[in-house]
């Protein structure tokens, strides 16, 4: 009897320290398969359960430093070979041990063409098992940012995947579901207990985790709340502890709220419009027999007609940085002097269109997500108005992100809005994903307008293997500037995304918009 | 002469006697006229993207500090003049309201007549279908039909067809009311002598139904239809508020309320309050007219 009493007292004392984090944001995850979709919300959730060989430590002064995760140490043995020593005694959530076989298996899996995560193992030719706790990464050429890349190369259990017939990555574009797209078995600090689509994701602390939490969160409940007003109400009424995408119009008001605090930061994400520059005739346009977006003057006109400052002031309420290049401040390669864009001038845009042979403009459809980026649909609506002033008749086709992504992945779009965050904090990631000619795998993985410029391809391929930092910086600059001057995209702005939370919650702002529960602490009672 | 007879008619008399009804009628008329004449009355065409200026967004109403005469009731997040958008939006709301009521009325009255006159198996089947449908709220059925249409059509086609689809889904969700009312009255009328007389002289069933029975069962149907115009407008507003109605580039009143709802916390109250008020005035006055019509046509209340 006394023992039971003691045990329950102890349990009560322990649970007083542990805390639940109720976190809300706009989006649901697309899949629980860690090799399926390179999607920020999915990555943000899955990083709690699945780990890579490396990870980012707690950022200090905006610096994101790589530290050991499932690998304890590494050594570059030659230009094209790295040796990783794996952490011993790590167990997956189902209890099976983590070994080199799992790394080799995961490498083969992430490379499958139906996924969109290959970028994180870009330049890696092969992963070879040396012994149970040592692997070699054989590279095609030097990969200077390998350690940053593989942070998002997440390790799955070979035996679990085989047992549950999930050796293959889910084919998301074909709406396939597999065991691994609905269930999670990682090594990370939190165990994902369940996912109820559009309702919630519940996580609980992994008591067997090899590391130590830098916070006191034992349970996380993530709730996607699509409506801006409802999300803010949930925070104000105390139904959630933290909202990581506060509607821009409400930031000022929340700052004045004594119960809450705002954590400011610039997300390393750039919002832009992409155009189909591959087909000889656009699918959704009234121009027949040619593709107007292949003409640089038309692309320049699209860029010139946009009033980025007005979007910043009105739609974003000042919470954005107007953009001329595709990477945000904080990403290696971004410098202020190249992040420039043409001044808004509808008349000049009209003139450019006339020069290109469209004196009366033309029609096209703009596909736009309506629940992914800050005010995405409203930005698109504003663009329709701005382009209308230059004579372009744009039909807006907005839809939830879950419908939008398969559509653009199947190239079923003539123009679309997308945002690109940079997990590696290096501009190569963006150039390679968005500008490099699409040849499969990581090359042009989200270059869905199929831009193809041999000069840029050469620059990008040179960046990949450049080892001299100065020469590499010059190449990054060249790539970004040429992309800007050829107007391959219409960059709009770099998104700022303040997080709002209750006063008693403290966490670390992370610029790739992926809050980590392990850095989060909740003081006082529930 | 005709005017004089109209003026002395029972309905006109009871209309004059009820000041609430006169006000409601005036308001309804104002809404309908405003909606019909919106292209001439509205200062701006809010459906034309080239006419919008993002720099004029979030202007408060003219009488509030910072407001401008050009934007009497303020402007929304895209720089649309609220007054113009209200007038255009009311046109969509009223159009969908009337059209869907006409659709459900035609369908419901016809099926009700058939069921009541012929009885038997046809009656049983029609009324069981009606019972099943009655057990769902109308809004749910409208959502279902709209959802099916959305899945069947591509998003682009759906946007172009948004209004017909809405009319269809609201119309199909409300036919039961009419069918049941008409069936009840038809059952009574069927046994009356004038119907038997018509049958004896050899008129065909359809002619009897439309020529003789229909005029005698229309009274309650008209009352129901008037009230249902208000209901249909509310259903349309609800669907648009939920984001499955008309596209945001051509807002109806419900869409406007949805858009404005996002700006309540940040203090731009006028974006949602004016469309909300307009919706209340419109539906309330239509309903008051319907109530009056019900009382005026009810012999027991005379």
């Amino acid at each position: 009897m006394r023992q039971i009493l003691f045990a329950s007292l102890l349990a009560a004392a322990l649970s007083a320290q542990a805390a639940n984090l109720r976190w809300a944001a706009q989006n649901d995850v697309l899949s629980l398969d860690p090799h399926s979709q390179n999607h920020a919300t999915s990555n943000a959730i899955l990083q709690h359960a699945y780990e890579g060989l490396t990870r980012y430590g707690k950022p200090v002064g905006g610096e994101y430093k790589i530290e050991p995760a499932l690998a304890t140490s590494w050594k570059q043995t030659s230009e094209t070979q790295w040796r990783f020593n794996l952490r011993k005694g790590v167990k997956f959530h189902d209890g099976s041990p983590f070994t080199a076989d799992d790394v080799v298996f995961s490498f083969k899996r992430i490379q499958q063409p139906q996924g969109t995560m290959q970028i994180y193992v870009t330049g890696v030719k092969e992963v070879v098992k040396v012994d149970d706790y040592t692997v070699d990464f054989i590279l095609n050429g030097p990969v200077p940012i390998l350690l940053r890349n593989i942070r998002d190369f997440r390790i799955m259990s070979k035996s679990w995947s085989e047992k549950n017939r999930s050796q293959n990555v889910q084919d998301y574009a074909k709406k396939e579901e597999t065991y691994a797209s609905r269930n999670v078995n990682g090594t990370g600090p939190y165990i994902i207990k369940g996912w109820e689509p559009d309702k919630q994701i519940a996580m609980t602390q992994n008591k067997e985790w090899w590391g130590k939490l830098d916070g006191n969160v034992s349970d996380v409940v993530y709730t996607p709340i699509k409506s801006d007003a409802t999300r803010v109400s949930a925070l104000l009424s105390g139904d959630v502890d933290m909202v990581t995408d506060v509607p821009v119009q409400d930031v000022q008001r929340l700052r004045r709220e004594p119960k809450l605090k705002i954590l400011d930061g610039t997300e390393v994400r750039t919002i832009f419009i992409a155009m189909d520059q591959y087909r000889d005739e656009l699918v959704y346009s009234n121009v027949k027999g040619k593709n107007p977006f292949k003409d640089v003057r038309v692309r320049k006109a699209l860029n010139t007609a946009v009033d980025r400052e007005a979007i910043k002031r009105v739609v974003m309420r000042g919470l954005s940085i107007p953009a001329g290049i595709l990477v945000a401040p904080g990403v290696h390669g971004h410098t202020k002097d190249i992040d420039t864009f043409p001044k808004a001038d509808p008349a000049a845009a009209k003139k450019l269109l006339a020069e290109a042979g469209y004196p009366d403009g033309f029609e096209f459809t703009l596909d736009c997500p309506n629940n992914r980026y800050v005010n995405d649909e409203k930005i698109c609506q504003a663009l329709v108005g701005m382009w209308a002033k230059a004579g372009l008749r744009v039909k807006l086709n907005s839809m939830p992100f879950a419908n939008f992504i398969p559509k653009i992945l199947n190239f079923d779009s003539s123009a679309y809005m997308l945002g690109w965050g940079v997990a590696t904090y290096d501009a190569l990631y963006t150039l390679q994903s968005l500008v490099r000619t699409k040849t499969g795998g990581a090359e042009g993985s989200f270059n869905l307008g199929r831009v193809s410029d041999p000069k840029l391809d050469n620059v990008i391929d040179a960046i990949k293997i450049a080892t001299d930092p100065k020469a590499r910086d010059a190449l990054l600059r060249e790539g970004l500037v040429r992309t800007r001057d050829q107007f391959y995209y219409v960059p709009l702005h770099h998104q700022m995304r303040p997080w709002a939370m209750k006063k008693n919650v403290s966490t670390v702002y992370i610029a790739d918009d992926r809050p980590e529960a392990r850095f989060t602490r909740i003081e006082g009672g529930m | 002469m005709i005017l004089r007879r109209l003026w002395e008619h029972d309905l006109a008399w009871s209309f004059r006697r009820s000041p609430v009804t006169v006000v409601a009628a005036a308001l309804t008329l104002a809404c309908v006229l405003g909606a019909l004449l919106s292209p001439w009355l509205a200062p701006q065409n809010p459906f034309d993207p080239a006419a919008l200026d993002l720099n004029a967004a979030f202007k408060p109403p003219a009488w509030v500090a910072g407001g401008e005469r050009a934007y009497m009731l303020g402007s929304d997040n895209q720089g649309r003049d609220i007054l113009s958008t209200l007038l255009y939006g009311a046109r969509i709301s009223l159009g969908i309201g009337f059209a869907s009521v006409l659709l459900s009325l035609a369908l419901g009255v016809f099926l009700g007549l058939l069921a009541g006159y012929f009885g038997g198996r046809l009656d049983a089947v029609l009324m069981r279908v009606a019972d099943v449908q009655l057990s769902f709220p109308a809004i749910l059925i409208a959502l279902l039909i709209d959802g099916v249409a959305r899945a069947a059509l591509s998003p682009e086609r759906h946007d172009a067809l948004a209004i017909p689809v809405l009319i269809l889904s609201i119309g199909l969700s409300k036919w039961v009311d009419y069918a049941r009312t008409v069936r009840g009255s038809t059952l009574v009328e069927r046994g009356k002598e004038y119907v038997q007389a018509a049958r004896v002289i050899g008129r065909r069933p359809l002619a009897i139904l439309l020529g003789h029975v229909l005029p005698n069962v229309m009274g309650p149907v008209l009352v129901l239809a008037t009230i249902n115009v208000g209901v249909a407008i509310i259903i349309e507003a609800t669907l648009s508020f939920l984001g499955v109605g008309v596209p945001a580039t051509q807002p109806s009143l419900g869409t406007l309320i949805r858009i404005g709802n996002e700006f309540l916390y940040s203090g731009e109250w006028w974006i949602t309050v004016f469309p909300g008020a307009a919706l209340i005035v419109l539906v309330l006055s239509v309903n008051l007219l319907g109530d009056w019509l019900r009382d005026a046509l009810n012999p027991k209340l005379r």
Side-chain angles (χ1 to χ4, degrees):
Chain A
M1 188 62 212
R2 192 177 289 171
Q3 265 178 334
I4 295 173
L5 194 70
F6 180 72
S8 58
L9 269 176
L10 189 72
L14 280 175
S15 67
Q17 283 205 333
N20 289 328
L21 173 68
R22 292 163 303 170
W23 162 28
Q26 193 174 32
N27 281 285
D28 202 1
V29 303
L30 297 177
S31 165
L32 291 181
D33 188 327
H35 301 149
S36 173
Q37 290 301 308
N38 194 7
H39 167 237
T41 305
S42 305
N43 287 339
I45 296 292
L46 287 173
Q47 68 177 354
H48 289 91
Y50 282 112
E51 295 175 295
L53 298 185
T54 62
R55 69 176 190 192
Y56 286 121
K58 200 170 182 170
V60 181
E63 279 255 13
Y64 296 86
K65 284 224 168 72
I66 283 293
E67 63 179 29
L70 286 180
T72 48
S73 60
W74 44 79
K75 207 170 80 198
Q76 189 166 9
T77 46
S78 82
E79 275 262 283
T80 56
Q81 187 164 355
W82 287 66
R83 174 154 294 188
F84 289 86
N85 296 310
L86 304 181
R87 196 174 290 276
K88 289 177 185 159
V90 174
K91 279 192 166 47
F92 285 96
H93 297 158
D94 70 347
S96 58
F98 159 72
T99 66
D101 290 328
D102 299 313
V103 181
V104 175
F105 166 78
S106 298
F107 176 71
K108 291 206 177 103
R109 196 171 185 275
I110 200 173
Q111 282 184 308
Q112 293 173 5
Q114 68 271 35
T116 58
M117 299 288 281
Q118 301 92 343
I119 182 104
Y120 297 111
V121 290
T122 185
V124 182
K125 190 161 101 193
E126 216 185 334
V127 173
V128 181
K129 173 181 174 180
V130 179
D131 62 44
D132 267 358
Y133 294 101
T134 316
V135 290
D136 279 347
F137 276 49
I138 317 286
L139 312 180
N140 290 321
V143 181
I145 54 169
L146 178 73
L147 295 175
R148 285 178 179 270
N149 277 344
I150 59 169
R151 161 238 181 170
D152 272 317
F153 161 41
R154 301 189 179 275
I155 307 300
M156 289 177 79
S157 159
K158 181 173 186 245
S159 62
W160 180 82
S161 304
E162 283 170 353
K163 197 174 77 197
N164 296 300
R165 281 175 293 166
S166 294
Q167 301 97 313
N168 290 329
V169 178
Q170 160 208 30
D171 193 341
Y172 185 82
K174 291 212 179 108
K175 301 190 175 161
E176 190 193 21
E177 294 282 355
T178 64
Y179 191 79
S181 73
R182 290 280 166 170
N183 297 277
V184 174
N185 179 40
T187 55
Y190 292 89
I191 299 170
I192 293 182
K193 288 190 296 187
W195 171 34
E196 296 172 70
D198 288 330
K199 198 157 162 246
Q200 66 166 39
I201 293 166
M203 302 188 233
T204 189
Q205 192 188 340
N206 173 14
K207 296 261 163 58
E208 312 286 311
W209 188 46
W210 53 268
K212 220 172 131 263
L213 294 186
D214 195 353
N216 66 347
V217 172
S218 63
D219 288 276
V220 183
V221 174
Y222 174 81
T223 316
I225 307 178
K226 183 173 178 279
S227 154
D228 283 351
T230 314
R231 205 159 59 245
V232 173
S233 305
L235 183 66
L236 286 170
S237 68
D239 287 339
V240 300
D241 301 313
M242 175 168 80
V243 167
T244 48
D245 46 5
V246 182
V248 290
Q249 64 268 22
D250 296 330
V251 172
Q252 283 314 318
R253 186 201 144 146
L254 294 183
R255 275 189 214 283
R256 294 196 300 266
E257 191 68 40
K259 290 182 301 195
L260 303 176
K261 66 178 173 193
I262 300 270
L263 206 55
D264 281 296
T266 310
E267 199 188 347
V268 285
R269 179 177 299 282
T270 305
I271 309 294
F272 56 85
I273 302 295
M275 296 81 79
D276 181 352
Q277 290 161 57
Y278 176 80
R279 289 194 177 88
D280 290 326
E281 183 180 298
L282 292 177
V283 184
Y284 301 103
S285 168
N286 66 343
V287 180
K288 296 297 163 206
K290 55 180 173 173
N291 178 348
F293 295 139
K294 286 192 176 186
D295 189 325
V296 64
R297 289 168 297 191
V298 173
R299 300 198 299 265
K300 187 175 181 188
L302 288 185
N303 264 283
T304 312
V306 174
D307 188 347
R308 292 168 174 82
E309 297 290 347
I311 293 180
K312 172 185 176 179
R313 199 177 62 252
V314 178
V315 185
M316 302 301 288
R317 308 268 176 145
L319 288 173
S320 72
I321 304 167
I325 58 174
L326 290 173
V327 293
V331 177
H332 186 82
H334 177 277
T335 52
K336 253 207 172 114
D337 61 310
I338 61 169
D339 196 358
T340 56
F341 47 87
K343 200 173 160 295
D345 188 346
K350 215 174 166 107
K351 220 173 124 217
L352 279 165
L353 285 174
E355 278 170 32
Y358 307 96
D360 303 318
F362 57 92
E363 269 176 44
F364 64 93
T365 300
L366 173 65
D367 296 310
C368 185
N370 60 13
N371 60 355
R372 175 65 190 92
Y373 310 109
V374 177
N375 285 347
D376 38 17
E377 188 179 11
K378 299 194 186 87
I379 297 167
C380 286
Q381 275 188 35
L383 288 175
V384 170
M386 290 168 181
W387 283 333
K389 291 196 175 67
L392 293 162
R393 296 172 298 283
V394 183
K395 271 191 257 166
L396 178 58
N397 182 22
S398 54
M399 64 192 94
F401 196 66
N403 304 1
F404 173 82
I405 271 292
K407 186 172 163 72
I408 63 167
L409 284 177
N410 291 322
F411 310 110
D412 182 23
S413 177
S414 294
Y416 59 89
M417 169 193 263
L418 199 69
W420 201 245
V422 185
T424 59
Y425 299 96
D426 187 282
L428 170 63
Y429 176 90
T430 300
L431 289 171
Q432 197 186 352
S433 310
L434 300 180
V435 185
R436 177 72 168 73
T437 301
K438 194 166 179 61
T439 52
E443 311 298 343
S445 61
F446 272 82
N447 179 0
L448 305 173
R450 289 179 282 183
V451 172
S452 180
D453 180 338
K455 268 194 191 152
L456 272 168
D457 289 350
N458 287 338
V459 172
I460 293 167
D461 291 340
I463 298 170
K464 281 191 230 158
I465 51 170
T467 41
D468 171 40
K470 247 195 179 150
R472 190 171 183 277
D473 285 358
L475 285 167
L476 283 176
R477 187 185 175 92
E478 193 186 336
L480 290 169
V481 168
R482 183 168 168 86
T483 309
R484 179 194 72 187
D485 292 344
Q486 291 293 317
F487 301 101
Y488 287 126
Y489 286 91
V490 185
L492 298 172
H493 54 241
H494 312 301
Q495 180 168 292
M496 283 155 100
R497 183 109 108 169
W499 298 353
M501 60 204 75
K502 288 190 186 158
K503 266 265 149 64
N504 62 341
V505 179
S506 50
T507 190
V508 182
Y509 188 88
I510 299 181
D512 62 4
D513 197 31
R514 297 192 204 169
E516 291 209 41
R518 67 184 165 110
F519 296 146
T520 306
R521 182 170 288 281
I522 302 180
E523 309 292 344
M526 302 303 293
Chain B
M1 201 53 195
I2 297 170
L3 277 178
R4 191 169 180 83
R5 275 180 60 186
L6 258 180
W7 182 252
E8 281 165 4
H9 191 272
D10 279 357
L11 274 180
W13 181 80
S14 82
F15 180 77
R16 285 199 305 276
R17 280 263 313 246
S18 159
V20 173
T21 311
V22 175
V23 172
L27 283 175
T28 311
L29 194 70
C31 287
V32 171
L33 280 181
L36 282 180
L37 302 177
S38 52
W40 296 277
L41 287 178
Q44 185 195 52
N45 177 2
F47 293 176
D48 174 16
L52 307 183
D53 183 4
L54 196 59
N55 288 309
F58 296 120
K59 290 243 188 285
W63 62 88
V64 177
E68 275 177 31
R69 286 285 295 277
Y71 299 92
M72 273 311 279
L73 300 182
S75 65
D76 75 353
N77 60 327
Q78 296 288 336
R80 280 189 291 238
D81 174 38
I82 297 276
L83 178 63
S84 311
T85 322
L86 272 185
L87 290 169
Y88 275 81
R91 186 149 79 150
I92 294 187
S93 292
L94 274 170
I96 292 178
F98 278 116
S100 61
V101 163
L102 274 182
L103 175 68
S104 52
L105 184 128
L107 191 69
V109 167
F110 184 66
L111 292 177
L113 281 173
L114 291 184
Y117 188 78
F118 293 109
R121 222 172 254 174
L122 180 71
D123 181 33
V125 169
L126 280 174
M127 285 305 115
R128 289 306 78 73
V129 171
D131 285 346
V132 169
Q133 189 170 334
L134 261 190
S135 61
F136 297 103
I139 184 81
L140 206 65
I141 293 169
L143 260 176
L144 181 80
I145 298 172
D146 189 78
V148 170
R150 216 163 261 272
L153 300 167
S154 68
E156 216 162 293
R157 297 257 321 270
H158 184 271
D159 263 9
L161 291 174
I163 289 175
V165 165
L166 269 178
I167 292 172
L168 197 71
S169 51
I170 300 172
L172 288 182
S173 69
K174 293 299 282 183
W175 68 273
V176 178
D177 298 13
Y178 303 95
R180 285 173 68 105
T181 313
V182 169
R183 173 185 174 267
S185 319
T186 310
L187 277 177
V188 176
E189 299 296 322
R190 180 171 71 167
K192 288 203 176 150
E193 284 168 358
Y194 73 92
V195 175
Q196 286 173 353
R199 221 181 273 166
V200 167
I201 63 171
R203 296 214 67 180
R204 279 205 302 246
L206 203 64
I208 298 177
L209 275 180
L210 297 181
H212 300 284
V213 180
L214 183 62
N216 287 299
V217 299
M218 273 314 268
V221 169
L222 282 180
V223 174
L224 203 57
T226 321
I227 291 173
N228 267 347
V229 170
V231 175
I233 292 172
I234 290 280
I235 294 182
E236 184 277 326
T238 313
L239 290 176
S240 294
F241 182 78
L242 294 174
V244 296
V246 292
T249 43
Q250 297 196 0
S252 70
L253 292 178
T255 321
L256 280 175
I257 296 172
R258 167 169 67 95
I259 295 170
N261 209 29
E262 289 171 27
F263 302 103
L264 272 181
Y265 282 130
S266 51
E268 284 97 1
W269 51 270
W270 56 90
I271 304 176
T272 196
V273 164
F274 290 123
L279 186 68
I280 292 173
V281 168
L282 180 61
V283 172
L284 193 66
S285 48
V286 170
N287 267 357
L288 285 173
L289 274 183
D291 276 358
W292 160 76
L293 200 62
R294 184 192 61 203
D295 294 348
L297 290 179
N298 188 343
K300 286 182 196 145
L301 285 181
R302 278 192 198 165

